[in-house]
Amino acid sequence: MTKKKVIAFALALSLTASMFAACGKAAPSSSASSAAQQSSSQAAGSWSYTDALGRQVKIDTMPQRVVSLYGSFAECWMLAGGKVIGATDDAVKERDLDLDDDVTIVGTVKEPNLEQIIALTPDLVILSADIAPQVQLDTALTEAKIPHIYLRMDDYHSYLEVLRGFCDLTGRDDLYAENGIEMEEEINEAMERAKAQTEHPSVLLLRAFSSGVKAKAEDNLAGIILKDLGADNIASRHESLLEDLSMETIIAEDPDFIFVTIMGTDDEAAMKSIADTLGSNPAWKDLSAVKNNRFIVLPKELFHYKPNEKWGDSYEYLVDILYPNE
């Protein structure tokens, strides 16, 4: 495990221990920055794409005035060598993107400001297909004759597909190689390492937020990666856990690991939800995962926010924990 991963792992365990006792900047690497200063590997081209809402979108030239209503999509466009003139506030507050001073913040992901968006006269608006207020902008943007595209990047395959299209527009095959192909190689290595194991650990994946906690299967980033790495997620076998977080089932399964992803900005309140919901049960402390310090809070930048070019880091982070001696 790299020094960076060890530090993050230690911090996660420290946070967990303290809570129960009581109850980056995202940018291309330096080599990518150097490549960006060089001439493009090919002329900027076009992109034909069936977006996440089933709309047929064809972009004939590289957009120059791009507005993104989701920080991870703005980052993906920037990783392909593009720039944005407008973005929602999560691009700064959550992704900490290095945006130009003249970039306009056009509201939040759930409350985008249509008037501000139109006033910027964009030649492309990038939206999320999973956020209802953004889906509702389709008619208004169409009537305003503003090109727009709805995306969904739930796994590394969809990230690569979008990055490929963006790089086709910018003409930056070099950035696709650096932020896509190299990442995929890291993922393949992690999965091969997992496939080589004769035993695969059982896990319980939890999503905690200020008002509660739920078990999760494969309908989320961490769950997809755990499945790819051969982990036995007990919530996938006991679907009742997805609705009722039964301590009886958890005790009977006694998972080797318990992983937690945190929603929202109040991490302490989220951890208290786990303590109140599960930790208050006397049997909690006797679970193998708890006794063996395998109750692990996963870092948000790799398992809550879309990791984009860091998908390989997400796979490596978990494979190092699941199979530490390999």
Side-chain angles (χ1 to χ4, degrees):
M1 187 179 294
T2 65
K3 180 179 179 182
K4 178 180 178 183
K5 292 176 183 175
V6 169
I7 292 173
F9 184 42
L11 286 174
L13 290 178
S14 175
L15 171 63
T16 303
S18 64
M19 284 306 304
F20 279 98
C23 339
K25 180 176 290 188
S29 64
S30 58
S31 58
S33 298
S34 298
Q37 297 172 4
Q38 300 172 3
S39 60
S40 298
S41 59
Q42 65 180 47
S46 63
W47 185 31
S48 296
Y49 187 67
T50 302
D51 75 4
L53 294 185
R55 301 164 60 255
Q56 297 297 316
V57 180
K58 188 173 190 303
I59 306 171
D60 293 319
T61 59
M62 176 181 171
Q64 301 296 326
R65 300 183 60 78
V66 175
V67 174
S68 174
L69 303 189
Y70 200 48
S72 61
F73 299 159
E75 182 181 48
C76 187
W77 174 245
M78 294 167 68
L79 288 169
K83 289 186 176 183
V84 297
I85 61 167
T88 42
D89 68 349
D90 63 311
V92 177
K93 292 181 178 180
E94 296 179 358
R95 310 295 299 202
D96 194 24
L97 297 185
D98 185 17
L99 302 178
D100 292 340
D101 293 338
D102 59 352
V103 171
T104 300
I105 300 301
V106 292
T108 68
V109 292
K110 292 186 177 180
E111 294 183 347
N113 189 312
L114 179 61
E115 290 184 359
Q116 284 186 311
I117 295 168
I118 293 177
L120 289 172
T121 61
D123 51 10
L124 178 64
V125 178
I126 306 171
L127 307 97
S128 171
D130 294 320
I131 301 173
Q134 296 194 22
V135 175
Q136 293 166 5
L137 295 180
D138 181 29
T139 299
L141 292 173
T142 299
E143 291 177 350
K145 296 184 176 6
I146 295 175
H148 56 288
I149 188 168
Y150 284 91
L151 301 180
R152 183 178 287 123
M153 295 195 305
D154 293 332
D155 56 29
Y156 78 90
H157 299 288
S158 52
Y159 161 72
L160 286 174
E161 185 178 18
V162 171
L163 181 67
R164 175 69 272 175
F166 284 172
C167 287
D168 285 345
L169 286 174
T170 62
R172 295 301 301 272
D173 276 354
D174 57 323
L175 292 182
Y176 181 73
E178 182 161 355
N179 297 316
I181 295 175
E182 291 182 11
M183 175 215 72
E184 188 174 24
E185 291 173 351
E186 294 173 354
I187 292 172
N188 289 337
E189 289 176 4
M191 289 197 291
E192 286 301 318
R193 178 175 161 189
K195 289 178 182 178
Q197 310 305 310
T198 56
E199 296 184 2
H200 298 274
S202 60
V203 305
L204 170 63
L205 176 61
L206 301 175
R207 175 176 289 172
F209 38 97
S210 60
S211 59
V213 57
K214 290 183 174 293
K216 301 298 292 183
E218 288 95 35
D219 62 341
N220 64 100
L221 191 159
I224 291 171
I225 297 175
L226 286 168
K227 180 180 179 180
D228 283 348
L229 295 178
D232 172 23
N233 187 345
I234 66 172
S236 296
R237 289 189 287 103
H238 297 277
E239 293 187 1
S240 60
L241 282 174
L242 302 176
E243 299 298 330
D244 177 21
L245 200 53
S246 165
M247 271 298 296
E248 181 179 348
T249 301
I250 296 172
I251 292 168
E253 286 288 342
D254 194 21
D256 299 310
F257 293 90
I258 299 175
F259 293 109
V260 179
T261 60
I262 294 179
M263 294 282 289
T265 57
D266 194 340
D267 292 7
E268 289 188 6
M271 293 303 296
K272 187 176 185 301
S273 293
I274 298 178
D276 293 343
T277 304
L278 301 174
S280 59
N281 189 307
W284 173 262
K285 67 179 184 302
D286 294 324
L287 290 172
S288 297
V290 176
K291 289 193 299 183
N292 296 322
N293 291 324
R294 290 180 171 178
F295 178 97
I296 300 165
V297 179
L298 297 173
K300 284 185 176 181
E301 65 271 18
L302 296 181
F303 297 97
H304 175 51
Y305 307 131
K306 309 296 186 185
N308 288 338
E309 88 283 14
K310 297 185 179 69
W311 271 100
D313 292 344
S314 301
Y315 276 78
E316 289 181 344
Y317 187 97
L318 277 179
V319 81
D320 283 345
I321 294 173
L322 295 171
Y323 311 107
N325 298 322
E326 298 302 322

